[in-house]
Amino acid sequence: MEPVPVVLGVGGGIAAYKAAELARALMERGCTVETVMTAAAQEFVQPLTFAALTGRKVITSMFGARTADEVLASSVEHIAVAQRNRVLVVAPATANLLAGFAHGLAGDFLSTLYLAFQGRVVLCPAMNTAMWEHPATQENLATLRRRGDLIVDPEAGELACGTVGVGRLADPQRIAAFVMRALDDRRDLEGETVLVTAGPTREPLDPVRFISNRSSGKMGYAVAEAAAARGARVILISGPVTLPAPDGVTLVHVQTAREMYDAVMSHLDEATIIVKTAAVADYHLADVPPQKVKKTAMRLSLELDPTPDILAEIGRHKHDQLLVGFAAETENVTAEARRKLKSKNCDMIVGNLVSHSDGVGFESDNNEVVLVTRTGETIPLPLASKLVIAGQILDHILKLRLALHASQS
Ligand code: CTP
């Protein structure tokens, strides 16, 4: 998808600092972000934060201009900003902003922009519970919803005022995913069931210790989110990670390779596309001692048994499903990816280098991969966020399926 131009309106609430994380989350999903801050927002966060994150000038007032030329230019700037962006996201949308939008007030840049804006509007309210529940706020929200604005409801939790209740700004990752779903009019995965595995597995050594690996789950969660945005039913089987569950995805938690194997096999028949991003442990301790192992002065050896190779097992049994594996390598990525493509009977392997210390691979938000396909293609995908890479992988999966069908008929 082309970069989506988004204008982010930041209101004056304590959650304004989370709008910085939202700007980043939108950029990770391939959006360009232009920021407008209300005067109140600037009491909470410096415009410089957004300028540094987005690499763009931040609009802080309607009449910041000094010279006659600047005044002339700025007098129509809200129209230009409205015209060049596809989405207006307001976070935090305070009670005052919602009231202003609902009643068509145009007293500052953000409210003027709102009136001039013809693209999608996504409002993310955040306020104290009593203010949220007040009939005035609820009536304003009903008006805004009726006009077609999209509302990302606040979450329940501890609020800045010390109370607990509904009113906390929704998680920025969730808001960004919501924006992408609202925008993505490609429903090219509708009717598909995509089975994704993600994260590491954990193989216990005793009740308090385990063997695992550095996989963060970000790549698999990105594939799950991107597939759901394009209309797929998504089953995400995840090892232990710290990521929030993507909305609209069926999440199955597992710990060990054996549990992942069982979960995958029980959902396999439903899947039309299988993407195995998980970094499955290759070995485990077959007989885990029931009590914590005590330290001695002696050397300790562990005898480990192989875990089931889930991908290879699917490869042996698959019918017309499209099977995509990952190959995390520290060298010879393309050659290893090609070897695994054949040995595990996959349709595509996504090879990625994981020894980098320069911001790609495990734990990073970015990735740089090479796709090798059953049809003999080798497709490098240059450095980008995992969410952008996830979208590109899905594009190539769909292309590959067309090519495979064409070659069969
Ligand atoms: N995989 C799997 N089950 C395993 C091990 C790996 O399903 N027990 C899958 C992974 O999910 C990934 C692919 O196989 O999609 C390749 O994983 P990788 O660890 O790179 O390959 P291995 O087969 O384990 O080979 P090696 O460790 O020798 O590189």
Side-chain angles (χ1 to χ4, degrees):
M1 200 160 60
E2 289 291 293
V4 180
V6 176
V7 52
L8 173 63
V10 185
I14 187 70
Y17 75 94
K18 291 194 197 164
E21 203 188 320
L22 174 58
R24 210 166 163 260
L26 288 165
M27 290 168 69
E28 271 173 25
R29 285 163 177 80
C31 301
T32 58
V33 178
E34 179 166 26
T35 315
V36 175
M37 298 180 79
T38 64
Q42 294 164 59
E43 298 289 328
F44 291 91
V45 190
Q46 287 289 319
L48 187 59
T49 304
F50 291 93
L53 277 174
T54 62
R56 283 157 181 255
K57 185 185 91 171
V58 174
I59 298 172
T60 51
S61 75
M62 192 86 190
F63 304 106
R66 289 285 168 269
T67 67
D69 280 351
E70 283 172 355
V71 170
L72 202 59
S74 70
S75 67
V76 289
E77 198 177 10
H78 58 289
I79 307 293
V81 174
Q83 283 170 350
R84 66 175 171 247
N85 286 289
R86 273 183 64 196
V87 200
L88 166 62
V89 183
V90 182
T94 59
N96 183 52
L97 279 173
L98 295 175
F101 295 159
H103 291 88
L105 302 186
D108 66 359
F109 194 98
L110 184 55
S111 51
T112 318
L113 172 67
Y114 173 84
L115 281 185
F117 201 76
Q118 291 184 319
R120 280 275 191 202
V121 175
V122 178
L123 304 174
C124 313
M127 65 199 72
N128 150 280
T129 311
M131 292 170 73
W132 170 250
E133 287 173 351
H134 196 285
T137 303
Q138 289 302 317
E139 279 166 31
N140 289 333
L141 280 164
T143 304
L144 294 165
R145 275 204 179 92
R146 200 176 57 246
R147 289 188 198 141
D149 292 352
L150 301 171
I151 315 288
V152 183
D153 281 342
E155 293 170 359
E158 201 175 318
L159 304 178
C161 52
T163 59
V164 175
V166 176
R168 208 159 69 170
L169 183 72
D171 176 76
Q173 293 292 336
R174 272 193 56 218
I175 298 175
F178 179 95
V179 171
M180 298 317 286
R181 274 204 306 282
L183 275 179
D184 208 333
D185 37 22
R186 291 170 306 170
R187 308 297 288 174
D188 51 3
L189 287 171
E190 209 143 71
E192 304 282 355
T193 298
V194 181
L195 175 64
V196 184
T197 67
T201 64
R202 249 181 212 178
E203 309 302 327
L205 298 178
D206 71 13
V208 295
R209 304 182 178 97
F210 56 81
I211 313 174
S212 193
N213 59 63
R214 298 165 71 107
S215 167
S216 63
K218 284 179 189 161
M219 194 62 238
Y221 275 59
V223 171
E225 180 186 317
R230 290 161 70 162
R233 175 175 166 247
V234 179
I235 303 165
L236 173 60
I237 298 175
S238 172
V241 298
T242 54
L243 303 170
D247 284 341
V249 162
T250 304
L251 182 59
V252 180
H253 286 289
V254 296
Q255 293 278 326
T256 64
R258 184 76 229 180
E259 286 171 20
M260 185 169 278
Y261 176 89
D262 290 341
V264 168
M265 291 308 158
S266 74
H267 289 284
L268 195 56
D269 286 343
E270 303 159 58
T272 54
I273 296 170
I274 302 146
V275 186
K276 284 227 67 240
T277 62
V280 187
D282 289 327
Y283 295 94
H284 74 134
L285 189 65
D287 293 312
V288 180
Q291 304 301 335
K292 185 180 166 200
V293 174
K294 290 291 174 188
K295 172 176 67 185
T296 69
M298 305 294 287
R299 167 177 263 175
L300 175 71
S301 305
L302 289 170
E303 204 150 307
L304 303 174
D305 286 314
T307 55
D309 190 321
I310 310 168
L311 186 62
E313 184 68 12
I314 306 171
R316 274 191 285 278
H317 296 290
K318 81 186 180 78
H319 33 96
D320 56 355
Q321 292 149 311
L322 202 129
L323 181 57
V324 180
F326 271 62
E329 307 296 340
T330 53
E331 56 185 356
N332 305 330
V333 182
T334 310
E336 277 303 295
R338 217 155 257 302
R339 184 178 68 75
K340 288 176 186 174
L341 182 84
K342 283 215 166 58
S343 69
K344 303 195 188 199
N345 190 29
C346 293
D347 298 297
M348 179 191 285
I349 291 276
V350 182
N352 68 320
L353 203 59
V354 289
S355 62
H356 270 219
S357 51
D358 56 353
V360 296
F362 281 176
E363 294 170 338
S364 163
D365 290 335
N366 296 323
N367 216 347
E368 185 179 345
V369 302
V370 60
L371 311 182
V372 299
T373 69
R374 183 186 279 283
T375 50
E377 281 190 288
T378 301
I379 308 157
L381 299 182
L383 183 67
S385 77
K386 286 184 174 171
L387 280 146
V388 168
I389 296 272
Q392 293 169 344
I393 291 172
L394 292 171
D395 293 344
H396 285 287
I397 287 175
L398 289 176
K399 272 192 211 153
L400 176 63
R401 188 153 62 190
L402 282 179
L404 290 171
H405 280 171
S407 70
Q408 278 160 12
S409 57

